[in-house]
């Protein structure tokens, strides 16, 4: 089954085509540089960028796959190419209504889509939440427009399910390698959740953050240290540098206890609470107070703070996850979401013993379309009736839950 994946929930415009668990091609545009000056994602700007970029990215994706497979898999050009767009009046009317709030998308769509034949795609999987609603709508409307013109079913996908199944892409993991019950820890810019997985598509959130998400805490602490947006990766870099310097002082050996030589330690909020919830806002505030108290920050102090902050986060995440593994008798653990790109967090979770641990490739940790297509495939195989979803019922849901 060939699936076109579409992801526009935040600041990445991402498309891909997959076949089963293999990826035929991807095309992604990150808006990070555009939002950088605002220090965060600006929803209406994100929406406009998605609207501007979807069709060019789609064209690029089809051409890439054609080149890679030496076929006209997707983008077979019509012989009538030089003639005016050949949508019927009824089709045009439908599209104008469907894309009335995305004029940039409408004009690019009307210009390019009539010049190509229907690609070899069986379904379209699109993120419908959670995320920024104006941004989500662009992807949804693009999916609906393509689905309408080419008569392709649309599968609405929960972005968080995407982060869970991101570990399935590629050859290294087969669907059967993950045994149930499984547990997923999702750590992204907007979410921090522990999910009990009884089977594919059967998810139960057992704990979540009561305030900031982990990625959010990383980004806010980064801002306190005057690091560029989004700060998560920069914190990881500084902390990594600190750990390396410490290991060098230690004669090349990694210290057993990383926090041993750090002059700073920060609290581990809710680490011993009797539930699976998290809280990161107190940790963030504690870093802020420390920074205010110190005044001038040398590069070394910044490194030490980044490292101490990372230690606190890792310890809380590990402790809570271990407790959940025991309580739910989990046989597999999946860790997904942008923050799993962090080296220390990756290493710490891969070091867990007693169960199989699955972590996505680095390229699939942050937002992408492959995870959405994978979720589409899982849903279509588990429950074929999703292929009959009435497109009219697919609406953006900013606060969608698993
Ligand atoms: O999953 P994601 O791409 O988007 C959401 O769905 O939110 O996650 C983005 C988050 C941001 O907060 C970003 O700073 C964080 O993931 N992140 C990292 C790293 N790479 C991305 N945090 C820590 N270390 C990293 N290497
Ligand atoms: Zn995400």
């Amino acid at each position: 089954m060939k699936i076109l994946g579409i992801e526009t929930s935040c600041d990445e415009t991402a498309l891909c085509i997959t076949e089963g668990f293999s990826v035929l091609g991807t095309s992604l545009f990150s808006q990070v540089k555009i939002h950088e000056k605002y220090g965060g994602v600006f929803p209406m700007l994100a929406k406009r960028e998605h609207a501007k970029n979807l069709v060019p990215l789609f064209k690029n994706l089809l051409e890439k796959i054609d080149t890679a497979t030496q076929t006209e898999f997707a983008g077979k050009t019509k012989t009538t190419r030089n003639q005016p767009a050949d949508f019927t009046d009824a089709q045009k009317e439908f599209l104008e209504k469907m894309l009335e709030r995305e004029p940039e998308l409408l004009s690019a769509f009307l210009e390019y889509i009539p010049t190509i034949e229907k690609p070899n795609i069986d379904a379209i999987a699109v993120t419908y939440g959670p995320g920024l609603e104006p941004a989500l709508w662009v992807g949804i409307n693009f999916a609906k427009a393509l689905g309408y013109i080419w008569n392709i079913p649309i599968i609405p996908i929960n972005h968080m399910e995407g982060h869970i199944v991101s570990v399935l892409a590629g050859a290294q993991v087969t669907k059967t390698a993950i045994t149930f019950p499984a547990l997923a820890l999702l750590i992204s810019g907007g979410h921090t959740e522990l999910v009990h997985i009884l089977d594919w598509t059967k998810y139960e959130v057992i704990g979540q953050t009561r305030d900031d998400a982990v990625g959010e805490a990383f980004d806010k602490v980064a801002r306190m240290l005057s690091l560029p947006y989004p700060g998560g990766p920069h914190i990881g870099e500084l902390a990594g540098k600190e750990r390396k310097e410490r290991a060098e002082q230690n004669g090349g050996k990694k210290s057993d206890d990383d926090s041993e030589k750090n002059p700073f330690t920060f609290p581990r909020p809710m680490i011993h609470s009797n539930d699976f919830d998290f809280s990161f806002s107190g940790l963030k505030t504690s870093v802020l107070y420390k920074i205010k108290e110190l005044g001038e920050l040398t590069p070394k102090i910044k490194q030490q703070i980044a490292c101490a902050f990372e230690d606190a986060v890792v310890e809380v995440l590990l402790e809570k996850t271990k407790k959940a593994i025991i309580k739910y008798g989990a046989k597999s653990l999946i860790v997904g979401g942008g923050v799993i790109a962090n080296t220390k967090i990756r290493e710490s979770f891969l070091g867990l013993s007693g169960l199989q641990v699955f972590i996505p490739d680095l390229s699939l940790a942050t937002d992408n379309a492959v995870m959405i297509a994978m979720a589409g495939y899982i849903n279509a195989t588990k429950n074929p009736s999703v292929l009959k979803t009435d497109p009219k019922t697919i609406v953006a849901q900013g606060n969608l839950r698993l």
Side-chain angles (χ1 to χ4, degrees):
M1 182 178 215
K2 293 196 179 75
I3 297 185
L4 167 67
I6 304 176
E7 157 65 38
T8 65
S9 69
C10 192
D11 59 348
E12 321 280 353
T13 318
L15 296 175
C16 75
I17 295 176
T18 55
E19 179 164 21
F21 293 109
S22 3
V23 180
L24 301 183
T26 63
S27 196
L28 180 144
F29 175 75
S30 170
Q31 303 174 8
V32 160
K33 284 269 162 281
I34 292 160
H35 297 285
E36 203 170 21
K37 51 180 170 293
Y38 303 99
V41 182
F42 198 62
M44 293 317 279
L45 194 55
K47 171 198 150 103
R48 217 176 55 223
E49 284 299 313
H50 290 311
K52 219 167 70 188
N53 295 321
L54 273 171
V55 171
L57 285 172
F58 185 55
K59 182 169 188 275
N60 171 269
L61 172 68
L62 299 184
E63 287 169 358
K64 261 200 229 170
I65 297 178
D66 281 355
T67 312
T69 57
Q70 295 284 301
T71 60
E72 289 190 326
F73 160 78
K76 191 170 172 200
T77 307
K78 287 183 179 172
T79 45
T80 52
R81 192 191 176 105
N82 296 326
Q83 286 169 19
D86 58 357
F87 286 143
T88 63
D89 286 347
Q91 284 177 323
K92 269 192 224 160
E93 201 178 310
F94 176 92
L95 291 169
E96 274 159 16
K97 190 143 184 29
M98 165 65 53
L99 302 176
E100 69 185 347
R101 293 185 183 191
E102 291 91 23
E104 303 91 339
L105 177 56
L106 176 66
S107 59
F109 195 98
L110 291 176
E111 195 176 311
Y112 174 61
I113 303 300
T115 68
I116 57 167
E117 300 282 356
K118 176 186 170 179
N120 189 2
I121 296 166
D122 304 299
I124 301 172
V126 62
T127 307
Y128 74 111
L132 307 168
E133 282 192 9
L136 288 163
W137 271 118
V138 187
I140 292 172
N141 287 338
F142 182 53
K144 287 184 184 180
L146 288 177
Y148 166 75
I149 289 297
W150 288 326
N151 196 21
I152 303 174
I154 303 172
I155 312 169
I157 297 297
N158 182 316
H159 181 87
M160 300 317 286
E161 181 177 23
H163 276 304
I164 294 176
V165 304
S166 64
V167 294
L168 294 173
Q172 76 279 33
V173 180
T174 60
K175 202 171 93 173
T176 47
I178 295 175
T179 44
F180 300 102
L183 204 71
L185 172 68
L186 302 179
I187 42 178
S188 70
H191 293 82
T192 302
E193 290 177 351
L194 265 168
V195 185
H196 176 213
I197 310 174
L198 300 143
D199 194 357
W200 293 121
T201 76
K202 298 207 165 37
Y203 312 107
E204 177 199 6
V205 177
I206 58 165
Q208 59 197 311
T209 183
R210 295 190 181 175
D211 39 60
D212 292 357
V214 188
E216 197 179 347
F218 263 91
D219 295 340
K220 286 178 177 168
V221 166
R223 202 186 307 179
M224 295 172 199
L225 295 174
S226 317
L227 299 169
Y229 168 85
H234 299 283
I235 295 270
E237 227 169 87
L238 283 191
K241 197 158 169 240
E242 176 62 20
R243 283 181 222 286
K244 192 162 162 254
E245 283 173 15
R246 236 183 272 163
E248 275 162 13
Q249 277 173 6
N250 226 10
K253 281 197 304 265
K254 270 195 181 171
S255 158
D256 284 344
D257 177 4
D258 271 346
S259 59
E260 214 172 293
K261 293 196 192 84
N262 198 324
F264 307 110
T265 43
F266 296 116
R268 273 83 170 134
M270 293 184 71
I271 195 163
H272 298 303
S273 72
N274 276 331
D275 52 28
F276 298 108
D277 282 352
F278 301 90
S279 164
F280 293 101
S281 133
L283 167 60
K284 171 196 73 186
T285 311
S286 151
V287 175
L288 179 67
Y289 286 158
K290 182 49 79 183
I291 289 173
K292 283 198 170 149
E293 182 193 312
L294 291 166
E296 190 77 17
L297 300 182
T298 63
K300 182 67 178 173
I301 289 180
K302 284 190 182 182
Q303 274 175 218
Q304 288 168 329
I305 290 177
C307 193
F309 166 75
E310 211 181 61
D311 281 339
V313 170
V314 169
E315 211 177 302
V316 173
L317 292 177
L318 272 179
E319 210 43 48
K320 283 277 156 111
T321 306
K322 281 193 217 163
K323 214 156 81 177
I325 289 170
I326 294 169
K327 166 137 189 216
Y328 289 88
K331 295 183 182 148
S332 320
L333 171 70
I334 294 169
V335 193
V339 184
I340 196 59
N342 178 282
T343 308
K344 173 73 181 171
I345 300 180
R346 279 179 97 78
E347 283 174 359
S348 307
F349 278 98
L350 286 172
L352 280 182
S353 54
L355 86 172
Q356 282 189 289
V357 180
F358 299 90
I359 284 176
D361 284 349
L362 267 185
S363 64
L364 301 179
T366 48
D367 290 351
N368 63 85
V370 171
M371 67 186 202
I372 304 306
M374 292 291 132
Y377 182 58
I378 294 265
N379 275 277
T381 23
K382 271 260 155 206
N383 175 19
S385 70
V386 296
L387 293 167
K388 297 204 164 62
T389 307
D390 177 356
K392 283 204 278 303
T393 63
I394 305 175
V395 293
Q397 292 184 37
N399 297 316
L400 183 66
R401 311 259 318 136
L402 260 180

